[in-house]
PDB file of all heavy atoms in Angstrom:
ATOM      1  N   MET A   1     120.585 120.103 119.487  1.00  0.00           N
ATOM      2  CA  MET A   1     120.227 121.406 120.054  1.00  0.00           C
ATOM      3  C   MET A   1     121.141 121.766 121.221  1.00  0.00           C
ATOM      4  O   MET A   1     121.556 122.916 121.387  1.00  0.00           O
ATOM      5  CB  MET A   1     118.762 121.394 120.506  1.00  0.00           C
ATOM      6  CG  MET A   1     118.282 122.695 121.136  1.00  0.00           C
ATOM      7  SD  MET A   1     118.431 124.101 119.997  1.00  0.00           S
ATOM      8  CE  MET A   1     117.145 123.679 118.827  1.00  0.00           C
ATOM      9  N   LYS A   2     121.502 120.762 122.069  1.00  0.00           N
ATOM     10  CA  LYS A   2     122.402 121.027 123.190  1.00  0.00           C
ATOM     11  C   LYS A   2     123.760 121.517 122.712  1.00  0.00           C
ATOM     12  O   LYS A   2     124.382 122.393 123.308  1.00  0.00           O
ATOM     13  CB  LYS A   2     122.554 119.764 124.037  1.00  0.00           C
ATOM     14  CG  LYS A   2     121.285 119.368 124.798  1.00  0.00           C
ATOM     15  CD  LYS A   2     121.520 118.134 125.652  1.00  0.00           C
ATOM     16  CE  LYS A   2     120.266 117.750 126.421  1.00  0.00           C
ATOM     17  NZ  LYS A   2     120.480 116.526 127.247  1.00  0.00           N
ATOM     18  N   LYS A   3     124.222 120.935 121.586  1.00  0.00           N
ATOM     19  CA  LYS A   3     125.506 121.359 121.044  1.00  0.00           C
ATOM     20  C   LYS A   3     125.460 122.804 120.581  1.00  0.00           C
ATOM     21  O   LYS A   3     126.399 123.576 120.778  1.00  0.00           O
ATOM     22  CB  LYS A   3     125.915 120.441 119.893  1.00  0.00           C
ATOM     23  CG  LYS A   3     126.271 119.015 120.338  1.00  0.00           C
ATOM     24  CD  LYS A   3     126.708 118.174 119.157  1.00  0.00           C
ATOM     25  CE  LYS A   3     127.104 116.775 119.586  1.00  0.00           C
ATOM     26  NZ  LYS A   3     127.534 115.934 118.433  1.00  0.00           N
ATOM     27  N   ILE A   4     124.343 123.176 119.950  1.00  0.00           N
ATOM     28  CA  ILE A   4     124.198 124.551 119.474  1.00  0.00           C
ATOM     29  C   ILE A   4     124.228 125.528 120.644  1.00  0.00           C
ATOM     30  O   ILE A   4     124.893 126.571 120.614  1.00  0.00           O
ATOM     31  CB  ILE A   4     122.901 124.701 118.659  1.00  0.00           C
ATOM     32  CG1 ILE A   4     122.997 123.869 117.378  1.00  0.00           C
ATOM     33  CG2 ILE A   4     122.631 126.158 118.336  1.00  0.00           C
ATOM     34  CD1 ILE A   4     121.718 123.868 116.564  1.00  0.00           C
ATOM     35  N   ILE A   5     123.508 125.201 121.722  1.00  0.00           N
ATOM     36  CA  ILE A   5     123.476 126.078 122.893  1.00  0.00           C
ATOM     37  C   ILE A   5     124.864 126.189 123.518  1.00  0.00           C
ATOM     38  O   ILE A   5     125.320 127.267 123.914  1.00  0.00           O
ATOM     39  CB  ILE A   5     122.448 125.556 123.921  1.00  0.00           C
ATOM     40  CG1 ILE A   5     121.024 125.634 123.330  1.00  0.00           C
ATOM     41  CG2 ILE A   5     122.530 126.353 125.216  1.00  0.00           C
ATOM     42  CD1 ILE A   5     119.978 124.996 124.210  1.00  0.00           C
ATOM     43  N   PHE A   6     125.576 125.056 123.581  1.00  0.00           N
ATOM     44  CA  PHE A   6     126.916 125.053 124.160  1.00  0.00           C
ATOM     45  C   PHE A   6     127.865 125.934 123.353  1.00  0.00           C
ATOM     46  O   PHE A   6     128.641 126.721 123.908  1.00  0.00           O
ATOM     47  CB  PHE A   6     127.434 123.613 124.212  1.00  0.00           C
ATOM     48  CG  PHE A   6     128.857 123.506 124.735  1.00  0.00           C
ATOM     49  CD1 PHE A   6     129.131 123.742 126.090  1.00  0.00           C
ATOM     50  CD2 PHE A   6     129.890 123.179 123.880  1.00  0.00           C
ATOM     51  CE1 PHE A   6     130.428 123.645 126.564  1.00  0.00           C
ATOM     52  CE2 PHE A   6     131.178 123.080 124.356  1.00  0.00           C
ATOM     53  CZ  PHE A   6     131.454 123.313 125.712  1.00  0.00           C
ATOM     54  N   ILE A   7     127.791 125.829 122.010  1.00  0.00           N
ATOM     55  CA  ILE A   7     128.643 126.653 121.154  1.00  0.00           C
ATOM     56  C   ILE A   7     128.308 128.131 121.321  1.00  0.00           C
ATOM     57  O   ILE A   7     129.188 128.992 121.388  1.00  0.00           O
ATOM     58  CB  ILE A   7     128.487 126.217 119.684  1.00  0.00           C
ATOM     59  CG1 ILE A   7     129.078 124.818 119.493  1.00  0.00           C
ATOM     60  CG2 ILE A   7     129.187 127.208 118.760  1.00  0.00           C
ATOM     61  CD1 ILE A   7     128.788 124.224 118.119  1.00  0.00           C
ATOM     62  N   ALA A   8     127.003 128.445 121.417  1.00  0.00           N
ATOM     63  CA  ALA A   8     126.596 129.841 121.598  1.00  0.00           C
ATOM     64  C   ALA A   8     127.135 130.404 122.896  1.00  0.00           C
ATOM     65  O   ALA A   8     127.598 131.548 122.964  1.00  0.00           O
ATOM     66  CB  ALA A   8     125.071 129.945 121.559  1.00  0.00           C
ATOM     67  N   ILE A   9     127.100 129.579 123.987  1.00  0.00           N
ATOM     68  CA  ILE A   9     127.630 130.038 125.277  1.00  0.00           C
ATOM     69  C   ILE A   9     129.127 130.307 125.181  1.00  0.00           C
ATOM     70  O   ILE A   9     129.648 131.301 125.691  1.00  0.00           O
ATOM     71  CB  ILE A   9     127.325 129.001 126.373  1.00  0.00           C
ATOM     72  CG1 ILE A   9     125.807 128.936 126.627  1.00  0.00           C
ATOM     73  CG2 ILE A   9     128.061 129.345 127.656  1.00  0.00           C
ATOM     74  CD1 ILE A   9     125.396 127.825 127.568  1.00  0.00           C
ATOM     75  N   LEU A  10     129.851 129.425 124.479  1.00  0.00           N
ATOM     76  CA  LEU A  10     131.285 129.627 124.300  1.00  0.00           C
ATOM     77  C   LEU A  10     131.575 130.916 123.547  1.00  0.00           C
ATOM     78  O   LEU A  10     132.503 131.659 123.886  1.00  0.00           O
ATOM     79  CB  LEU A  10     131.886 128.436 123.557  1.00  0.00           C
ATOM     80  CG  LEU A  10     132.050 127.123 124.360  1.00  0.00           C
ATOM     81  CD1 LEU A  10     132.640 126.044 123.463  1.00  0.00           C
ATOM     82  CD2 LEU A  10     132.933 127.332 125.586  1.00  0.00           C
ATOM     83  N   MET A  11     130.741 131.190 122.518  1.00  0.00           N
ATOM     84  CA  MET A  11     130.956 132.405 121.726  1.00  0.00           C
ATOM     85  C   MET A  11     130.733 133.645 122.582  1.00  0.00           C
ATOM     86  O   MET A  11     131.500 134.613 122.517  1.00  0.00           O
ATOM     87  CB  MET A  11     130.034 132.407 120.506  1.00  0.00           C
ATOM     88  CG  MET A  11     130.353 131.314 119.496  1.00  0.00           C
ATOM     89  SD  MET A  11     129.129 131.223 118.167  1.00  0.00           S
ATOM     90  CE  MET A  11     129.489 132.738 117.318  1.00  0.00           C
ATOM     91  N   PHE A 806     125.662 133.548 112.480  1.00  0.00           N
ATOM     92  CA  PHE A 806     124.373 132.871 112.410  1.00  0.00           C
ATOM     93  C   PHE A 806     123.284 133.851 112.823  1.00  0.00           C
ATOM     94  O   PHE A 806     123.538 134.872 113.469  1.00  0.00           O
ATOM     95  CB  PHE A 806     124.351 131.653 113.346  1.00  0.00           C
ATOM     96  CG  PHE A 806     124.271 132.026 114.805  1.00  0.00           C
ATOM     97  CD1 PHE A 806     123.041 132.144 115.441  1.00  0.00           C
ATOM     98  CD2 PHE A 806     125.414 132.299 115.535  1.00  0.00           C
ATOM     99  CE1 PHE A 806     122.959 132.506 116.782  1.00  0.00           C
ATOM    100  CE2 PHE A 806     125.347 132.666 116.872  1.00  0.00           C
ATOM    101  CZ  PHE A 806     124.104 132.768 117.502  1.00  0.00           C
ATOM    102  N   LEU A 808     119.085 133.436 114.239  1.00  0.00           N
ATOM    103  CA  LEU A 808     117.912 132.633 114.557  1.00  0.00           C
ATOM    104  C   LEU A 808     116.710 133.555 114.640  1.00  0.00           C
ATOM    105  O   LEU A 808     116.784 134.636 115.240  1.00  0.00           O
ATOM    106  CB  LEU A 808     118.095 131.914 115.899  1.00  0.00           C
ATOM    107  CG  LEU A 808     119.242 130.906 116.010  1.00  0.00           C
ATOM    108  CD1 LEU A 808     119.436 130.504 117.466  1.00  0.00           C
ATOM    109  CD2 LEU A 808     118.953 129.677 115.165  1.00  0.00           C
ATOM    110  N   ILE A 835     116.669 129.565 110.610  1.00  0.00           N
ATOM    111  CA  ILE A 835     118.061 129.751 110.994  1.00  0.00           C
ATOM    112  C   ILE A 835     118.891 129.997 109.749  1.00  0.00           C
ATOM    113  O   ILE A 835     118.723 129.315 108.732  1.00  0.00           O
ATOM    114  CB  ILE A 835     118.606 128.537 111.785  1.00  0.00           C
ATOM    115  CG1 ILE A 835     120.072 128.773 112.181  1.00  0.00           C
ATOM    116  CG2 ILE A 835     118.440 127.246 110.997  1.00  0.00           C
ATOM    117  CD1 ILE A 835     120.588 127.755 113.170  1.00  0.00           C
TER     118      ILE A 835
END
Side-chain angles (χ1 to χ4, degrees):
M1 179 60 70
K2 291 182 179 179
K3 291 182 178 180
I4 294 175
I5 295 173
F6 177 71
I7 292 172
I9 293 173
L10 286 179
M11 294 173 70
F806 73 92
L808 298 169
I835 180 169

